Every structure is written in structure tokens, then in C-alpha cells.
């Protein structure tokens, strides 16, 4: 996203771009990971300008890291720069191609295809609706998540440490925490200071509100580059090849279509980008053969996969360097975009 250093790690105001008077530009932007000693991000700007906006007196209109979920064109932002909650809340976003506008709703930016629709609704799978419940969202970090230990999950601190090791090549870049829930890991990634920005992304409005409440109670996160975004994992609002790292904790089994989701994750990752995910296994190589018929997917509400299926899925979507760590029914996998 590489002409001169931007004023924020993500955006570049128009008055700092060397342009002829009101031309039309169209170019792509990409994030690249930086070493921990080099924290600035260089970005190029790609904006279609209107004559009445070509003065420094007008409010800045900037190409954003976010893209339209309909056509994947980078959105144009009107408002303050930055990825922090305040800047996102005070900004408006618009797709120059679709002419569709997006704004913050409550405490998060809604970048679903259905954002702003009044009359149209969609019926989601039961497991999707479950996590949109205010009660489940409230309980997720207050008892729900702790029960995962019974299935072999080592706990949030250890899982975060494992993920950080996998993400070492992506340090300094943009990380998207898909299906972030109440932001348990999004907040850890943001507080680590290892990334230029963190996007906490979930389809559940109430999970994002819970994440906002936790951020508000933690003074160390008030000025951190973290954004809350509502989006569909099968329609991620980012340009192709624009993200350095994607994380999905205890999520694959909840997705209506894991294949569509992994394909989308592959699309938004830059070359060399890292995907790290964890989930419950349907069964592993250590599961006795006579127990396996009782753990098939058909009678279950979740889409539990086997180790072989997860590897095959990642490979078929074009990811390489696949590896995994397994403990009972817990699996954490990592793969890389070539």
C-alpha cells in the first residue's frame, strides 16, 4: 500500500500526496510486515477525486484498509485517520464502484453485505444464531470458554503463545482475528505491540459489543490500533493480498462453510501471509476405531472435521507449509500463502 511515509500506519491524507491538480488515480495498496525495530508502514494512495474535494480545507478522503464486501474495491474513508475505535466511529466509508456507504453502528463498523438494509433478512444456521445471543456473548469469557479445557484446549495464554510463534514471519503487519468472539485473542494481539494493527472481526453484533466493553475497561487498549468490524467470514471486507496474518480461534467448526471461509482467508492474505486456526477435531489418529462412528458430523450441530480433512482443505485452497499441533480433541493448524 509505497511512495512516502503515511501519517498513520494505515492511511495517507490526500494533502500529503504529490498529485497534479485533481487527477484520477487507481492503484492497489498492500501491507508488508516490518521488523520490530521498524514500525512505520509505507503506503500508496489510490483515490478517485472530485473537483470540489481538491483542497486542503476539505475533510480528508482516503483509501482505507477495508474493502467493499460486494465488489472488494477499497473503500474511501471520509473522516479522521487511524484504525483506533474513535477514528473508525467518526468516519464514513463508501465504495466508489457500488456507491454503497458503510458507517459504524453502535461500537463496530458493519461491513456485511446486508449492512443498511431495512426490509431484507436472512435466516442463519442455528450455531451462527447461538453466538449472536446476548447471553452467550456475555458468558463466553465468563465460564463458556473455560470448558474447552475438557477437550484438550491448553487455555488462552498458552494458545496465544503458540499462535505468536506461528505468526513470527508476520510480525509488524496487519492481523485480522476472524470469528473473534468477545475479542479474547484480539486484545492479546493488540496489547502485544507485535502488529501494526489488529482487526477484531465477527458476525455477532453482541460479541463485538462485549469486545468493546472489555476494551473500555482496559486502559492500555484505549489508544491501540484495534478496530471492531462486523463481517461474514465467507465474504471478508479486504482487498486480495492485503493482509499479513489471519487468526481464527475455536472457529472452524462454527462456520457454515469452512471451504468458503478458508478460500476467503487465502484470498486476502498477501504472498507469505500466515493463517493460524484452532478447532475441535471430530476424532484424531489416537481415537479408538470403535469410538469414531459415534463422533460423525451428521447428528451434531457443529461441523467438526478430522485432521486429514483440515489439511486437505487448506491445501486445496492453495495454502502451503501446513503443520499442526494436537492435544486430545484440540488442534491448532498453521499454513502459509505461497
Amino acid at each position: 500500500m509505497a511512495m512516502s511515509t503515511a501519517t498513520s500506519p494505515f492511511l495517507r491524507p490526500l494533502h500529503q500526496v504529490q498529485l497534479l491538480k485533481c487527477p484520477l488515480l487507481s492503484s492497489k495498496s498492500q501491507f508488508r510486515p516490518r521488523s520490530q525495530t521498524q514500525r512505520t508502514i509505507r503506503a500508496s494512495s489510490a483515490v478517485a477525486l472530485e473537483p470540489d474535494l481538491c483542497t486542503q480545507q476539505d475533510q480528508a478522503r482516503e483509501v482505507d484498509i477495508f474493502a467493499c464486501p460486494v465488489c472488494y474495491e477499497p473503500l474511501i474513508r471520509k473522516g479522521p485517520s487511524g484504525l483506533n475505535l474513535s477514528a473508525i466511529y467518526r468516519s464514513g466509508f463508501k465504495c466508489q464502484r457500488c456507491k454503497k456507504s458503510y458507517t459504524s453502528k453502535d461500537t463496530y463498523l458493519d461491513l456485511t453485505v446486508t449492512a443498511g438494509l431495512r426490509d431484507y433478512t436472512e435466516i442463519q444456521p442455528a450455531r451462527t444464531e447461538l453466538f449472536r445471543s446476548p447471553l452467550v456473548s456475555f458468558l463466553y469469557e465468563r465460564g463458556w470458554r473455560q470448558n474447552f479445557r475438557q477437550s484438550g484446549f491448553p487455555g488462552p495464554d498458552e494458545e496465544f503463545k503458540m499462535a505468536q510463534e506461528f505468526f513470527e514471519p508476520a510480525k509488524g503487519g496487519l492481523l485480522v482475528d476472524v470469528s473473534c468472539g468477545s475479542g479474547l485473542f484480539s486484545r492479546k494481539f493488540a496489547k502485544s505491540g507485535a502488529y501494526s494493527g489488529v482487526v477484531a472481526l465477527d458476525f455477532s453484533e453482541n460479541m463485538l459489543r462485549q469486545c468493546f466493553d472489555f476494551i473500555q475497561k482496559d486502559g492500555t487498549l484505549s489508544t491501540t490500533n484495534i478496530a471492531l468490524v462486523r463481517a461474514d467470514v465467507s465474504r471478508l471486507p479486504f482487498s486480495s493480498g492485503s493482509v499479513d496474518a489471519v487468526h481464527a480461534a475455536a472457529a472452524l467448526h462454527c462456520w457454515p462453510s469452512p471451504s468458503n471461509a478458508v478460500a476467503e482467508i487465502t484470498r486476502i492474505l498477501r504472498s507469505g501471509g500466515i493463517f493460524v486456526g484452532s478447532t475441535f477435531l471430530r476424532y484424531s489418529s489416537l481415537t479408538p476405531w470403535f469410538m469414531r462412528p459415534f463422533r460423525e458430523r451428521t447428528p451434531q450441530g457443529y461441523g467438526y472435521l478430522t485432521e486429514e480433512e483440515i489439511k486437505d482443505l487448506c491445501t486445496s485452497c492453495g495454502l502451503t507449509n501446513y503443520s499442526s499441533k494436537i492435544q486430545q480433541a484440540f488442534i491448532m493448524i498453521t499454513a502459509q500463502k505461497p
Side-chain angles (χ1 to χ4, degrees), residues 1-2 28-32 34 41-44 239-244 268-271:
M1 276 183 173
K28 295 293 182 183
S29 297
Q30 277 195 332
F31 286 80
R32 289 291 184 264
R34 303 291 179 187
I41 299 292
R42 295 185 179 273
S44 62
S239 299
S240 299
S242 63
V243 173
D244 298 287
I268 68 171
L269 281 173
R270 65 168 181 83
S271 178

Side-chain angles (χ1 to χ4, degrees), residues 172-250:
L174 175 67
L175 182 146
V176 178
D177 189 17
V178 299
S179 298
C180 68
S182 55
L184 176 61
F185 290 98
S186 304
R187 305 193 308 272
K188 290 179 179 291
F189 287 126
K191 292 177 72 171
S192 74
Y195 308 95
S196 56
V198 174
V199 177
L201 183 149
D202 203 281
F203 189 75
S204 169
E205 306 91 326
N206 285 304
M207 282 292 191
L208 292 170
R209 293 186 185 110
Q210 281 294 315
C211 183
F212 178 81
D213 289 343
F214 285 127
I215 291 174
Q216 290 292 92
K217 294 175 182 177
D218 187 340
T220 62
L221 287 170
S222 59
T223 58
T224 304
N225 283 325
I226 183 171
L228 305 185
V229 174
R230 181 175 184 245
D232 186 342
V233 70
S234 295
R235 200 79 185 174
L236 293 172
F238 303 94
S239 299
S240 299
S242 63
V243 173
D244 298 287
V246 175
H247 179 256

Side-chain angles (χ1 to χ4, degrees), residues 5 20 89-90 99 107 113 147 170 173 209 212 227 230 273 280 287 314 338:
T5 304
L20 297 177
Y89 182 77
R90 294 160 55 200
K99 306 302 181 184
T107 56
V113 173
N147 290 325
R209 293 186 185 110
F212 178 81
R230 181 175 184 245
F280 295 88
T287 304
C314 290

